[in-house]
Amino acid sequence: MSTSSKELGLKCPGCGEPWLRPTTLAGRYRCVYCLHRFELRSVCPDCGEHGTIVRMSSTATTECNHCGGSMLIEI
């Protein structure tokens, strides 16, 4: 099976690589490729739509339900 057919992880909003990993803090992520840190927000930075967020790393939704943008902001 090639790596293109496997899902390696969440895509980083900064570099676009699939190496975004949750940290020990709830709602925080770090890209192990570009080393930028991100925080999951309840208000979409693109459209301003408010949504309920689940901060559990295994069930977190990082896409806005309204516009499809990323709910992650760089910290």
Side-chain angles (χ1 to χ4, degrees), residues 54-68:
V54 178
R55 291 188 182 263
M56 298 296 292
S57 60
S58 61
T59 58
T61 304
T62 60
E63 267 187 20
C64 176
N65 291 333
H66 187 265
C67 72

Side-chain angles (χ1 to χ4, degrees), residues 19-39:
W19 296 106
L20 197 63
R21 301 292 185 259
T23 65
T24 56
L25 295 172
R28 300 280 176 103
Y29 294 85
R30 172 172 234 136
C31 178
V32 295
Y33 185 78
C34 68
L35 301 178
H36 288 178
R37 294 179 298 179
F38 298 92
E39 180 180 48

Side-chain angles (χ1 to χ4, degrees), residues 4 8 10 12-13 16 18 32 36 38-40 44 52-53 57 60 73:
S4 62
L8 298 175
L10 295 172
C12 174
V32 295
H36 288 178
F38 298 92
E39 180 180 48
L40 183 62
C44 177
T52 303
I53 60 172
S57 60
I73 62 162

